[in-house]
Amino acid sequence: MAKERAGMTEETQYMMDRIVTKEPENVPTSGDAKEMRAVVLAGFGGLNKLRVTKKPMPEPQDGEVKIRVKACGLNFLDLMVRQGTIDNPPKPPLVPGFECCGIVESVGENTTGFEIGDRVMAFVHYNAWAEIVCTQVDFVYKMPEEMSFAEAAAFSLNFVAAYMMLFEVANLREGMSVLVQSAGGGVGQAVAQLCSTVPNVTVFGIASCFKHAAIRDSVTHLFDRNVDYIQEVKKISPEGVDIVLDCLCGDNTGKGLTLLRPLGTYILYGASNMVTGETKSFFSFAKSWWQVEKVNPIKLYEENKVIAGFSLLNLLFKHGKCSLVKSVMDKLLCLYDQKKIKPVVDSLWALEEVKEAMQRIHDRGNIGKLILDFEKSPTPLMASDSTETSEAGEEEEEPEGDNDSKERMPFIH
Amino acid sequence: MAKERAGMTEETQYMMDRIVTKEPENVPTSGDAKEMRAVVLAGFGGLNKLRVTKKPMPEPQDGEVKIRVKACGLNFLDLMVRQGTIDNPPKPPLVPGFECCGIVESVGENTTGFEIGDRVMAFVHYNAWAEIVCTQVDFVYKMPEEMSFAEAAAFSLNFVAAYMMLFEVANLREGMSVLVQSAGGGVGQAVAQLCSTVPNVTVFGIASCFKHAAIRDSVTHLFDRNVDYIQEVKKISPEGVDIVLDCLCGDNTGKGLTLLRPLGTYILYGASNMVTGETKSFFSFAKSWWQVEKVNPIKLYEENKVIAGFSLLNLLFKHGKCSLVKSVMDKLLCLYDQKKIKPVVDSLWALEEVKEAMQRIHDRGNIGKLILDFEKSPTPLMASDSTETSEAGEEEEEPEGDNDSKERMPFIH
């Protein structure tokens, strides 16, 4: 047994043993009406802070919808939550996760628009990674009939973020050019697809080399993250590009601004460079905050440039823009119905495999979205896979500047 | 004579005497085919660096249009040129001015689209304040038949800047709110009019008290520059506003960002706070550059905000966006034809009165645009006007923080 699971962390081993003994697969885990399975983050830190446990099942409050969850999206943001590098997180223990999809099981009082049995996708302010989720009706959207749960879990956050950045913040129009960091990621793939809905848009994608074969057709020009992509882009478009989408922050902010043509917009929508090792490194966090190039508005004036930040979570849960997001979702579902966009799913993971899934995102191994699939059981691994194992579960910091480890292939396919 | 002209600077007196003796009004000053009248800036500094003199008349080069100028726009930017606080100015002596209108007198080779006798308005990279202007055909636009030369000189720069900021940079749409600094100025009045072409837009204007009666109808809410307008705006719109247009820079940048609602856009389009006294104060310039709040992109990310800079001159003459500006001008002329917009002219000035006109802008006395009118002769002043005279012509710096002087009424009406 040890050999077969050599690639797994001890924690996952423990969780699987627990499931096998306590919760045989054939018996629905929701058999106990008052309890549900959920991923719990015991405290901020490494992968070993994550557990799959039983939690009391929530009941919908006024204006809430109760959803039996089928699948959840896993985002880079969830890594930052785990590390505690996100702004103002709730106190652990907490259930992570910001998006899910499933079937409406009941609705609270004063909740209109949804009926029991509706297939829905939803945003949640934490607590998505659980069998049952209750969330405000404003954050719930009906799924198109032909959309699978895996697709729905890959849809909401990535496509809404991509759409709002391109069309609400930056005003993408015919003939423009867009540069997207992490072109192979969930947002990157959504950006590429949305750009193709506007005539004559050139997309410059940055991605690790090993993803190039898989995503080459989604963008116009593709560059290796490790080459000096500024020079390469300028060879093709000497004036620069109209929109730069950056989820990395740090050095890339300055590079992004350099690449903007006049009236161009740089949008920072993530700060994944803050995450260097498995656990929060104060040094790396402070470095990102203080060393990111601060921008003098007078320089923007002289250069006719625009710099923006975009955080969909803050927009939804802090800035109260759910009706705007709803109108964006309507447009996106229209594009989906017209088969103009389709979420790219990287891989499906059982709840108990959340650590391996997170490590895959950390290693930037994914092409498209990682999904936590509530109907999937953990996949036993082959012994040969262990050679690719990352140092998941250890508390050690990665050495500063060790970017190679981020480009490693993931250890689970 | 001395009494009648008590309000004028010695220089103006000198210039007028010169005209009276050398260039009687009835004789066209362009009688000498090889020479023309022009305002010349002898060196960077105070008002006394400006002269009206004769200059060799230019001939149109390849792709240029030669315009007999009827009127020119005078902008705050021209004050900054005079002081040398503008980025990368040409070496003086130079002829200032960036916009003019008049009649096409001839065209260079390979110049199509214009004929002799066409009434046109144009952008010029300096050299606008002269009887004859030659400029690239890309910067020349035909005037509507019913537009006067005074209107045309007030139209181009202000309306194109206002339109591009509202619709190209910030994407103004129905139901949004806009805050504009210097609501009584040329750009401010253009912004207010363009906002009224979009349904249900709320305009918050900031202006000196003495202008309120004149411009109250052009905006939704009007605030005194000297009160804490942030609190006043937040009383009406607690969430803030969608677009902040700031031509002042300095402290106002931070205030503007504070007032932005999520997804809102702050646009810096001038730095008139750089100009404190009549001549360039390095301290004030350095202060503006270094003390303007530099913006951390991570803060923009957390707050979902957008910060932009807009310089129409750089866009035209440095960033080569003349075809985009042309398309904007077409839209504006359409709005003018539909009588939806109409430039606000503050006052007309003879060439020899350029110093008084500049002082009026410096004192922020204008409502709408100041025009240099080539067909106007200097107006002799009443002795009683002298009590309101600013210290025009002196090289002394204003004391730091002396804002009162900027709010004084102009000394020529």
Side-chain angles (χ1 to χ4, degrees):
Chain A
M1 187 169 183
K3 253 199 165 169
E4 274 174 276
R5 294 178 179 176
M8 269 184 255
T9 62
E10 268 181 42
E11 287 295 325
T12 304
Q13 181 70 66
Y14 162 78
M15 287 194 289
M16 284 178 64
D17 291 346
R18 222 171 137 259
I19 293 153
V20 171
T21 51
K22 288 193 179 173
E23 297 152 10
E25 274 174 41
N26 296 342
V27 179
T29 51
S30 55
D32 180 353
K34 302 283 179 198
E35 285 202 321
M36 62 172 186
R37 283 197 303 151
V39 175
V40 171
L41 181 70
F44 299 124
L47 294 169
N48 64 348
K49 302 289 186 186
L50 291 162
R51 303 264 185 286
V52 177
T53 57
K54 294 259 180 169
K55 291 262 298 174
M57 189 178 285
E59 284 306 318
Q61 307 297 304
D62 238 40
E64 282 189 349
V65 176
K66 180 180 177 184
I67 302 164
R68 178 157 297 270
V69 174
K70 296 292 183 182
C72 297
L74 203 156
N75 297 291
F76 199 94
L77 219 47
D78 299 311
L79 268 77
M80 296 179 75
V81 169
R82 196 198 72 214
Q83 293 195 348
T85 44
I86 198 170
D87 186 42
N88 212 14
K91 217 172 158 243
L94 61 87
V95 175
F98 298 107
E99 58 179 342
C100 64
C101 61
I103 294 168
V104 174
E105 194 154 281
S106 68
V107 295
E109 284 185 39
N110 304 311
T111 309
T112 54
F114 293 95
E115 286 177 15
I116 293 168
D118 279 350
R119 296 165 81 241
V120 293
M121 47 194 172
F123 293 117
V124 208
H125 197 211
Y126 297 93
N127 295 309
W129 294 354
E131 262 179 316
I132 297 292
V133 160
C134 292
T135 190
Q136 280 291 322
V137 68
D138 293 337
F139 303 130
V140 185
Y141 319 91
K142 279 185 190 153
M143 283 169 57
E145 268 184 37
E146 61 273 40
M147 190 183 264
S148 70
F149 285 118
E151 278 188 327
F155 192 79
S156 331
L157 211 136
N158 291 357
F159 272 94
V160 170
Y163 187 97
M164 293 192 80
M165 289 193 286
L166 292 174
F167 299 106
E168 293 284 327
V169 180
N171 202 6
L172 175 68
R173 280 161 295 176
E174 186 169 349
M176 284 186 167
S177 53
V178 177
L179 181 135
V180 60
Q181 296 281 2
S182 304
V187 175
Q189 288 292 293
V191 163
Q193 289 186 19
L194 287 169
C195 284
S196 73
T197 66
V198 177
N200 197 22
V201 169
T202 304
V203 181
F204 296 90
I206 315 291
S208 304
C209 256
F210 72 86
K211 299 185 184 180
H212 284 204
I215 67 171
R216 188 169 303 283
D217 290 344
S218 65
V219 297
T220 324
H221 304 283
L222 195 52
F223 301 105
D224 180 4
R225 185 182 304 288
N226 296 313
V227 306
D228 180 4
Y229 60 83
I230 292 189
Q231 293 314 312
E232 297 299 315
V233 172
K234 287 205 163 166
K235 268 184 214 164
I236 297 166
S237 180
E239 219 196 348
V241 298
D242 293 298
I243 301 171
V244 171
L245 301 175
D246 176 17
C247 59
L248 305 174
C249 202
D251 288 350
N252 293 280
T253 302
K255 286 184 190 171
L257 281 169
T258 305
L259 268 178
L260 277 191
R261 67 168 60 169
L263 295 182
T265 303
Y266 162 93
I267 307 178
L268 180 71
Y269 69 97
S272 60
N273 273 354
M274 273 195 198
V275 177
T276 52
E278 193 207 329
T279 53
K280 176 178 177 174
S281 154
F282 177 75
F283 180 65
S284 117
F285 180 80
K287 203 175 108 181
S288 288
W289 179 263
W290 295 110
Q291 291 197 352
V292 61
E293 192 177 342
K294 278 166 216 62
V295 180
N296 192 322
I298 298 177
K299 191 177 153 75
L300 297 176
Y301 164 73
E302 284 168 356
E303 298 185 350
N304 275 307
K305 288 181 177 176
V306 184
I307 176 166
F310 183 78
S311 157
L312 181 54
L313 287 192
N314 284 353
L315 205 69
L316 282 166
F317 301 115
K318 208 165 147 185
H319 302 148
K321 288 284 184 186
C322 49
S323 63
L324 176 61
V325 170
K326 174 88 176 61
S327 71
V328 167
M329 184 63 96
D330 289 344
K331 290 174 198 159
L332 285 167
L333 291 177
C334 194
L335 289 171
Y336 178 86
D337 284 341
Q338 296 164 1
K339 302 200 191 308
K340 289 187 176 165
I341 57 174
K342 187 174 174 64
V344 177
V345 174
D346 174 73
S347 46
L348 304 177
W349 305 75
L351 230 56
E352 293 73 19
E353 294 167 333
V354 64
K355 297 177 192 191
E356 285 85 352
M358 272 205 176
Q359 187 64 43
R360 182 168 169 83
I361 290 190
H362 184 283
D363 293 342
R364 296 171 205 247
N366 58 304
I367 292 167
K369 187 86 165 197
L370 282 85
I371 307 291
L372 290 181
D373 180 351
F374 277 70
E375 296 183 344
K376 186 173 183 291
S377 340
T379 317
L381 294 172
M382 296 298 103
S384 61
D385 285 333
S386 65
T387 51
E388 300 256 18
T389 304
S390 296
E391 298 301 312
E394 293 187 18
E395 291 274 3
E396 277 176 24
E397 300 284 276
E398 276 180 282
E400 278 297 312
D402 175 10
N403 286 318
D404 292 343
S405 62
K406 286 180 195 145
E407 308 299 340
R408 279 179 302 198
M409 282 293 288
F411 62 101
I412 295 182
H413 298 276
Chain B
M1 186 171 181
K3 254 200 161 167
E4 274 174 277
R5 294 179 178 173
M8 266 183 255
T9 61
E10 268 180 42
E11 287 295 325
T12 305
Q13 181 71 66
Y14 162 79
M15 288 194 290
M16 284 178 64
D17 291 346
R18 219 170 139 259
I19 295 154
V20 170
T21 51
K22 289 195 180 173
E23 297 152 11
E25 274 173 39
N26 296 342
V27 179
T29 52
S30 55
D32 180 354
K34 302 284 179 201
E35 287 203 319
M36 63 172 185
R37 284 198 302 150
V39 175
V40 171
L41 181 70
F44 299 124
L47 293 169
N48 63 350
K49 303 290 187 188
L50 293 161
R51 303 264 185 282
V52 177
T53 56
K54 295 258 179 171
K55 290 262 297 175
M57 191 178 285
E59 284 305 320
Q61 307 299 305
D62 238 40
E64 283 189 348
V65 175
K66 180 180 176 184
I67 302 164
R68 177 156 299 270
V69 174
K70 296 293 183 182
C72 296
L74 202 157
N75 298 292
F76 199 94
L77 219 46
D78 299 311
L79 268 76
M80 296 179 74
V81 169
R82 196 198 71 215
Q83 293 196 347
T85 44
I86 199 170
D87 186 43
N88 212 15
K91 219 172 156 240
L94 61 88
V95 176
F98 299 108
E99 57 178 343
C100 64
C101 60
I103 293 168
V104 174
E105 195 154 280
S106 68
V107 295
E109 284 185 38
N110 303 311
T111 309
T112 54
F114 293 94
E115 287 176 14
I116 293 169
D118 280 349
R119 298 165 78 240
V120 294
M121 46 194 172
F123 293 116
V124 208
H125 198 210
Y126 298 91
N127 295 309
W129 295 354
E131 264 178 316
I132 297 291
V133 160
C134 291
T135 190
Q136 279 292 321
V137 68
D138 293 336
F139 303 131
V140 185
Y141 319 92
K142 279 186 189 150
M143 282 169 58
E145 270 184 34
E146 63 272 41
M147 190 183 263
S148 70
F149 286 119
E151 277 188 328
F155 192 79
S156 331
L157 211 136
N158 290 356
F159 272 95
V160 170
Y163 187 96
M164 293 192 80
M165 289 194 286
L166 292 174
F167 298 107
E168 293 285 328
V169 181
N171 201 5
L172 176 68
R173 281 162 295 176
E174 185 169 348
M176 283 187 168
S177 54
V178 177
L179 181 135
V180 62
Q181 296 282 2
S182 304
V187 175
Q189 288 291 292
V191 164
Q193 289 185 21
L194 287 169
C195 284
S196 73
T197 66
V198 178
N200 197 22
V201 169
T202 305
V203 181
F204 296 89
I206 314 292
S208 304
C209 256
F210 72 86
K211 298 186 185 180
H212 284 204
I215 67 171
R216 187 168 304 283
D217 290 344
S218 65
V219 298
T220 324
H221 305 283
L222 194 53
F223 301 105
D224 180 5
R225 184 184 303 289
N226 295 314
V227 306
D228 180 3
Y229 60 82
I230 292 188
Q231 292 314 312
E232 297 299 314
V233 172
K234 287 207 163 166
K235 269 183 210 163
I236 296 165
S237 181
E239 220 195 347
V241 298
D242 292 298
I243 301 172
V244 171
L245 301 175
D246 177 17
C247 59
L248 305 174
C249 202
D251 289 350
N252 293 281
T253 301
K255 286 184 190 172
L257 281 169
T258 304
L259 268 179
L260 276 191
R261 68 168 59 169
L263 295 183
T265 304
Y266 162 93
I267 307 178
L268 180 71
Y269 69 98
S272 60
N273 274 353
M274 273 197 198
V275 178
T276 53
E278 194 206 328
T279 54
K280 176 178 177 175
S281 153
F282 177 75
F283 180 66
S284 116
F285 180 80
K287 203 176 107 180
S288 288
W289 178 263
W290 294 111
Q291 291 198 352
V292 61
E293 192 177 340
K294 279 165 214 65
V295 181
N296 191 323
I298 297 177
K299 191 177 152 74
L300 297 176
Y301 163 74
E302 284 169 355
E303 297 184 350
N304 275 307
K305 288 181 177 176
V306 183
I307 176 166
F310 183 78
S311 158
L312 181 54
L313 287 192
N314 284 354
L315 205 68
L316 282 166
F317 302 116
K318 207 165 148 185
H319 303 150
K321 288 284 182 185
C322 50
S323 63
L324 176 62
V325 170
K326 173 90 176 62
S327 71
V328 167
M329 185 63 97
D330 289 344
K331 289 175 198 160
L332 285 167
L333 291 177
C334 194
L335 289 171
Y336 178 86
D337 285 341
Q338 296 166 2
K339 301 198 191 311
K340 289 186 177 166
I341 56 174
K342 187 177 177 61
V344 176
V345 175
D346 175 73
S347 46
L348 304 177
W349 305 76
L351 229 56
E352 293 74 17
E353 294 167 334
V354 64
K355 297 175 191 193
E356 286 85 351
M358 271 204 177
Q359 187 64 43
R360 184 169 169 83
I361 289 189
H362 185 284
D363 292 343
R364 295 171 205 246
N366 58 304
I367 292 166
K369 186 88 163 195
L370 282 85
I371 307 292
L372 291 181
D373 179 353
F374 277 70
E375 297 184 343
K376 188 174 181 291
S377 340
T379 316
L381 293 172
M382 295 301 105
S384 61
D385 285 333
S386 64
T387 53
E388 301 256 19
T389 305
S390 295
E391 298 301 312
E394 294 186 17
E395 290 275 4
E396 280 176 21
E397 300 282 279
E398 277 180 281
E400 279 297 311
D402 175 10
N403 286 316
D404 293 343
S405 62
K406 286 181 194 144
E407 308 300 338
R408 278 180 302 198
M409 282 294 288
F411 63 101
I412 296 180
H413 298 277

